[in-house]
Amino acid sequence: MLDKRIQSVKSHKCYASVARETYVTYARCMSAPHDDLPGASGAPLVSGPADPEHDPRASYALEPSYVARLTAKVLATSGESAVVHSPINEAPLAHVPQSTDDDVAEAFERARRAQEAWARTSIDHRVACLERLHALVLDRQDEILDLICWESGKSRKHAFDEPLHIALTARYYARTAHQHLDTKRRAGVVPGLTRVELNRVPKGVVGIISPWNYPFTMALCDGLPALLAGNAVVTKPDAQTMLTALLGARLLEEAGFPADLWQVVAGPGRTVGGSIIGRADYVCFTGSTATGRIVAEQCASRLIGCSLELGGKNPILVLRDADLERAAEGAVRASFSNAGQLCVSMERMFVADQVYDRFVERFVARTQAMSLGASLEWGVDMGSLISADQLATVEAHVDDAVAKGARVLTGGRARPDLGPYVYEPTILENVSPDMTCFGTETFGPVIALYRFHDESDAVARANDGDYGLNASIYSRDTARARVLARQITCGTVNVNEAFGATFASIDAPMGGMRSSGMGRRQGAEGIHRYTEPQSVGVQKLLRFAPVLGMSDETYAKVMTANERLMSKLGRA
């Protein structure tokens, strides 16, 4: 099986193969010091079985020289490294150098020097870099997809969403850069005599802490508008998917962004993450609500801004007039994209009584028809969970629900025959508030179905809880669905679509309400968060004080009369 996957990697001719022609075994290489490998240094590699013929964990899945070129971008001097394994087959992928607090400090010093020069470049120059990145991402997508699959275990079709989203983001901000960043005139207090301009001043150095679930998208999408606005970035990608993020950093350099403008550090979030927050001028974090609260507190103590995209327990509503085939197809994507490891995926589904049985029949049938596996190949509908911990969480939620009376309509078990962390897409009924999965985010391929009779009740139940990230409504009456959408406490609501209508529309801001976060990515909000608005006012002739011997009382009367006149003229 491993041989077939490696052959799949080598079949892509548009980039240098990232897989070994002859596997590097523990016996021959992996027990050797790092400095025996190109671009590597430090302690011995992990020990383990020395027979790759029978155990994929006994060989590198990726070409070590390729990995070394990627990890060379990490600013790390500790001499320590962390091993990364693939969820596809548990084969080791890399040993990622680990950063110290001094490394983070050095990263910020380099970034600040680069940012000073970068902020003086023209918007058009920055746009040209984004446009080159757009082309690179599309041209190199096979390489990107392979690395995403190796590190995350997701299916190739779900991996494709990532370079697509980055291409969309790069194109959008390149085309709208002047709209968002050019100096703009604002109305002055005295028409013709007061000129006011609004400048967008870059924050400085932005700290980005990105998650593992969409390692290419989340590593880059928040940083691109930050660069365009004239900032530098220091980023800490999740330890499980460092290589994909590092490939993104290499592509930025190839697109023409200065090397020091985008710094990458690696290490535990509790140490390296805190070090970033302590030095950044703005912080962007995507992750759990619990960690997000800590990030917000630390940013508040420094009086710096932050944007947080956090957890969710997202609802989908299937109304009585819904196109049931379309709703069933959308429900599969809404629930099981990336094995449910998607911030905007659905874990609660409310279906109208009038169509419940017919919808469930279609939804279950489509779910059971899905192909599962841990592979680099096209043709797999749902891939693997990322880790043993994530698998354990999913198993615990489902087992708890079943033990307390929930009914499994399909799925409900791990599939080690397909991959070490593969879990079947699972649909549950009769989920009650005493079950863990009722209100706690599972972040896996599990969704609970609920009947409703009254739409106002469905909306109220959709709004139950502390989260508010994403929602979906299926109805043929889109005008009515839009009215219902305004009643749902979520940052994005999709009508007759799972999540793509909002998430792929880069002009539309995306983010959470309540415990699902603060701030927004995408759109004007997604770039303006990285700027300080600066107002510059120029006053002609009139001064805002008594003139020509006028008393303070007379001045007050003149200004009062002027204000009444402006109001009658309808002036803001």
Side-chain angles (χ1 to χ4, degrees), residues 24-38 40-48 58-60 62 64 67 79-85 92-97:
V24 180
T25 65
Y26 284 104
R28 190 163 64 85
C29 179
M30 295 190 72
S31 60
H34 273 245
D35 52 15
D36 286 353
L37 295 178
S41 63
L45 303 182
V46 295
S47 60
S59 66
Y60 274 128
L62 303 177
V67 171
E80 299 177 357
S81 63
V83 65
V84 178
H85 290 91
L93 298 176
H95 287 75
V96 178

Side-chain angles (χ1 to χ4, degrees), residues 14-199:
C14 66
Y15 71 99
S17 173
V18 300
R20 290 293 293 169
E21 294 287 345
T22 303
Y23 304 132
V24 180
T25 65
Y26 284 104
R28 190 163 64 85
C29 179
M30 295 190 72
S31 60
H34 273 245
D35 52 15
D36 286 353
L37 295 178
S41 63
L45 303 182
V46 295
S47 60
D51 186 0
E53 181 68 25
H54 302 290
D55 190 344
R57 294 171 296 179
S59 66
Y60 274 128
L62 303 177
E63 169 65 54
S65 61
Y66 175 81
V67 171
R69 288 194 298 273
L70 294 179
T71 57
K73 180 67 177 174
V74 180
L75 204 166
T77 61
S78 69
E80 299 177 357
S81 63
V83 65
V84 178
H85 290 91
S86 174
I88 288 179
N89 53 15
E90 298 182 300
L93 298 176
H95 287 75
V96 178
Q98 299 296 283
S99 305
T100 65
D101 183 70
D102 288 342
D103 293 326
V104 177
E106 175 64 19
F108 272 90
E109 288 184 16
R110 294 182 186 182
R112 290 199 186 283
R113 288 194 297 268
Q115 190 271 331
E116 290 177 3
W118 180 250
R120 294 192 293 269
T121 62
S122 69
I123 292 175
D124 289 339
H125 174 75
R126 301 174 210 162
V127 164
C129 293
L130 272 186
E131 290 174 335
R132 286 192 292 269
L133 178 69
H134 175 272
L136 276 171
V137 167
L138 294 179
D139 292 344
R140 302 270 288 277
Q141 63 180 279
D142 282 339
E143 178 183 359
I144 297 166
L145 296 182
D146 283 340
L147 207 49
I148 291 171
C149 291
W150 275 120
E151 283 203 298
S152 72
K154 67 177 64 176
S155 68
R156 197 171 190 84
K157 75 174 187 178
H158 294 148
F160 173 72
D161 292 343
E162 301 201 47
L164 176 62
H165 184 259
I166 292 303
L168 289 170
T169 301
R171 176 166 57 87
Y172 168 79
Y173 281 115
R175 295 292 185 265
T176 60
H178 286 284
Q179 170 188 326
H180 297 313
L181 297 175
D182 280 354
T183 294
K184 290 183 171 58
R185 288 284 297 272
R186 292 296 177 94
V189 62
V190 181
L193 298 182
T194 308
R195 177 190 177 101
V196 175
E197 294 179 338
L198 177 66
N199 299 322

Side-chain angles (χ1 to χ4, degrees), residues 315-394:
I316 179 171
L317 280 64
V318 181
L319 307 187
R320 63 182 180 274
D321 65 340
D323 179 330
L324 298 187
E325 289 295 343
R326 180 171 182 172
E329 184 278 330
V332 169
R333 286 186 293 109
S335 309
F336 307 129
S337 289
N338 193 23
Q341 301 166 117
L342 171 62
C343 296
V344 293
S345 68
M346 306 300 172
E347 296 193 5
R348 300 180 296 150
M349 184 176 298
F350 303 94
V351 184
D353 269 332
Q354 297 91 331
V355 297
Y356 184 90
D357 292 335
R358 286 179 288 148
F359 170 79
V360 170
E361 179 183 8
R362 289 166 170 78
F363 183 33
V364 169
R366 284 181 175 270
T367 301
Q368 291 175 338
M370 294 175 67
S371 59
L372 313 179
S375 171
L376 303 181
E377 303 287 351
W378 293 102
V380 175
D381 291 321
M382 193 187 87
S384 173
L385 295 166
I386 194 167
S387 66
D389 286 346
Q390 203 64 27
L391 175 62
T393 297
V394 172

Side-chain angles (χ1 to χ4, degrees), residues 462-530:
N463 287 335
D464 189 34
D466 295 329
Y467 293 118
L469 187 56
N470 183 47
S472 177
I473 301 173
Y474 278 83
S475 170
R476 285 188 170 90
D477 187 345
T478 57
R480 182 165 60 95
R482 292 199 305 272
V483 171
L484 287 179
R486 293 176 64 89
Q487 302 171 32
I488 294 178
T489 311
C490 286
T492 54
V493 182
N494 296 265
V495 175
N496 294 331
E497 170 54 34
F499 51 82
T502 54
F503 197 75
S505 299
I506 310 299
D507 195 41
M510 182 268 171
M513 299 181 181
R514 303 192 292 189
S515 293
S516 288
M518 56 188 289
R520 295 292 185 270
R521 65 167 52 98
Q522 304 190 167
E525 294 85 347
I527 190 169
H528 286 164
R529 59 180 164 163
Y530 300 127

